């Protein structure tokens, strides 16, 4: 491993919550955001500007933005699907970066945003251009980069070509998203390397779901292959829109534990993440899938609280 650090993006307030059945209050969303910032996050996907009839969980996008804490070093990302969403995000005056999504297959692009895959690339480029014209930055994520719920396998050449086209619009990075959690580490290593070469010097961000238990292995493979930005969600919040009850995003605390133990700096405080994961579990009303928060702290002495608990058990 040649890298000494990665950039961490907390996506729990948007991707995590959007895939949870429990509708979380605006106040709790803001607390989640504040906790992530306190733990070190400097880039956060805070909401999406989409049709509230389709995504009721994100209906309070404007209310969240109005109350975002002022923090000069923090980049707030708003996900948008079209020009109208981009206008809404820009109008809040609080979003620093627009996130656009292009989808690797026609059938998924149709289901997700009513466009062909090619049209989704053009729409994402237009959103990035709009962000830049408004003095914001833009980024693009390629959804279903590693597999599609409708079409199955997705060609690596197709994704690489999409990344090259998206890079033409001048985003801060291009991301590969394993939207349905089917990627394996060898596939990740190949695709990250190919996309890196295609968009150099722009960085590659990766977005994994742990639907089939390969999430952390995929993060490791991506970082080893040169991905520089990692999306994760506190507690492993969320799920898969195509698999009710499935595990969510890779968990922030699990990713941070793995990378920090391997001497790759994330800028994140593990203890605070673990504490916030417990808080979030109460808010959502279920045990969250992240594993590190359920295990004794390592290294370091077992806390008296844990000892007391062990005695009870
Ligand atoms: Zn996702």
């Amino acid at each position: 491993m040649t890298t000494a650090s990665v950039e961490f993006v907390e996506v729990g307030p948007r991707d995590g919550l959007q895939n949870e059945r429990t509708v979380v209050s605006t106040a709790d969303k803001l607390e989640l955001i504040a906790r992530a910032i306190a733990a070190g996050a400097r880039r956060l996907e805070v909401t999406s500007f989409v049709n509230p009839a389709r995504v009721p969980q994100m209906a309070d996008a404007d209310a969240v933005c109005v109350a975002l804490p002022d923090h000069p070093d923090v980049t707030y990302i708003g996900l948008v699907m079209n020009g109208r969403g981009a206008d809404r995000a820009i109008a809040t005056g609080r979003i620093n970066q627009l996130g656009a999504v292009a989808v690797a297959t026609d059938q998924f692009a149709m289901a997700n945003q009513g466009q062909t895959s090619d049209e989704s690339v053009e729409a994402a480029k237009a959103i990035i251009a709009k962000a830049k014209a408004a003095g914001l930055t833009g980024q693009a994520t390629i959804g279903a980069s590693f597999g599609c719920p409708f079409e199955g396998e997705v060609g690596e050449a197709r994704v690489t070509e999409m990344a090259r086209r998206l890079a033409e619009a001048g985003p801060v990075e291009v991301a590969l998203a394993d939207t349905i959690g089917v990627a394996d580490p060898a596939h990740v290593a190949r695709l990250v390397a190919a996309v890196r070469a295609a968009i150099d010097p722009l960085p590659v961000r990766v977005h994994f779901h742990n639907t089939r238990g390969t999430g952390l292995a995929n993060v490791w493979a991506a970082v080893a292959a040169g991905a520089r930005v990692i999306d994760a969600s506190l507690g492993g919040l969320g799920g898969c829109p195509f698999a009710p009850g499935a595990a969510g995003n890779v968990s922030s605390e699990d990713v941070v534990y793995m990378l920090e133990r391997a001497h790759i700096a994330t800028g994140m405080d593990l203890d605070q993440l673990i504490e916030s994961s417990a808080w979030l579990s109460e808010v959502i009303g279920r045990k969250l899938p992240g594993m590190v928060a359920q295990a004794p702290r390592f290294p370091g002495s077992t806390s008296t609280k844990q000892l007391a608990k062990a005695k009870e058990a």
Side-chain angles (χ1 to χ4, degrees):
M1 192 74 67
T2 50
T3 188
S5 67
V6 295
E7 187 182 18
F8 177 88
V9 182
E10 174 61 47
V11 300
R14 204 289 302 174
D15 198 37
L17 288 182
Q18 188 168 321
N19 290 306
E20 288 287 342
R21 218 175 285 164
T22 310
V23 174
V24 170
S25 71
T26 306
D28 281 337
K29 288 178 183 179
L30 289 163
E31 172 144 12
L32 172 56
I33 290 163
R35 281 173 175 266
I37 293 170
R42 290 298 173 264
R43 269 179 85 191
L44 300 96
E45 194 177 77
V46 288
T47 190
S48 63
F49 296 86
V50 290
N51 183 351
R54 255 193 98 185
V55 190
Q57 188 70 269
M58 296 292 125
D60 61 353
D62 293 291
V64 167
C65 288
V66 165
L68 285 172
D70 271 317
H71 200 304
D73 303 328
V74 170
T75 297
Y76 292 122
I77 302 161
L79 190 81
V80 302
M81 292 297 189
N82 49 40
R84 204 169 147 248
D87 288 336
R88 275 181 64 202
I90 293 164
T92 66
R94 303 308 309 274
I95 292 293
N96 308 107
Q97 187 168 86
L98 299 188
V101 179
V103 179
T105 63
D106 284 329
Q107 283 191 45
F108 197 172
M110 271 301 166
N112 199 49
Q113 45 216 63
Q115 298 166 320
T116 64
S117 175
D118 277 333
E119 284 165 356
S120 76
V121 171
E122 291 312 311
K125 290 176 76 169
I127 288 165
I128 294 162
K130 204 158 196 169
K132 294 175 79 171
L136 282 58
T137 53
Q139 40 117 319
T141 298
I142 303 177
S145 284
F146 300 92
C148 169
F150 306 108
E151 299 185 27
E153 304 284 1
V154 172
E156 292 168 30
R158 167 68 189 160
V159 176
T160 306
E161 173 59 15
M162 286 174 74
R164 193 193 58 71
R165 283 167 55 195
L166 289 164
E168 290 170 352
V172 297
E173 77 216 347
V174 176
L176 303 174
D178 185 16
T179 314
I180 57 168
V182 292
D184 69 83
H187 189 174
V188 169
R190 287 193 308 272
L191 194 56
V192 167
V195 168
R196 241 188 111 192
I199 68 170
D200 184 67
L202 280 184
V204 175
R205 177 167 52 86
V206 285
H207 179 103
F208 294 116
H209 284 247
N210 197 34
T211 319
R212 290 169 180 80
T214 55
L216 275 187
N218 291 335
V219 170
W220 184 259
V223 173
R228 286 293 165 264
V229 193
I230 314 291
D231 284 0
S233 199
L234 188 67
L237 194 66
C240 172
F242 298 92
N249 294 111
V250 286
S251 133
S252 301
E253 60 273 23
D254 292 4
V255 167
V256 166
Y257 174 82
M258 176 181 75
L259 294 176
E260 294 281 344
R261 287 285 293 162
H263 302 291
I264 296 166
T266 61
M268 300 298 293
D269 182 293
L270 185 60
D271 287 326
Q272 287 194 54
L273 288 176
I274 289 171
E275 203 209 308
S276 290
S277 180
W279 166 82
L280 186 57
S281 169
E282 301 247 314
V283 170
I284 302 294
R286 68 176 175 95
K287 195 178 115 185
L288 295 174
M291 298 185 80
V292 166
Q294 300 173 43
R297 187 76 175 88
F298 183 86
S301 57
T302 307
S303 72
T304 47
K305 217 169 157 188
Q306 282 169 335
L307 279 176
K309 237 183 175 176
K311 271 183 193 159
E312 279 167 32

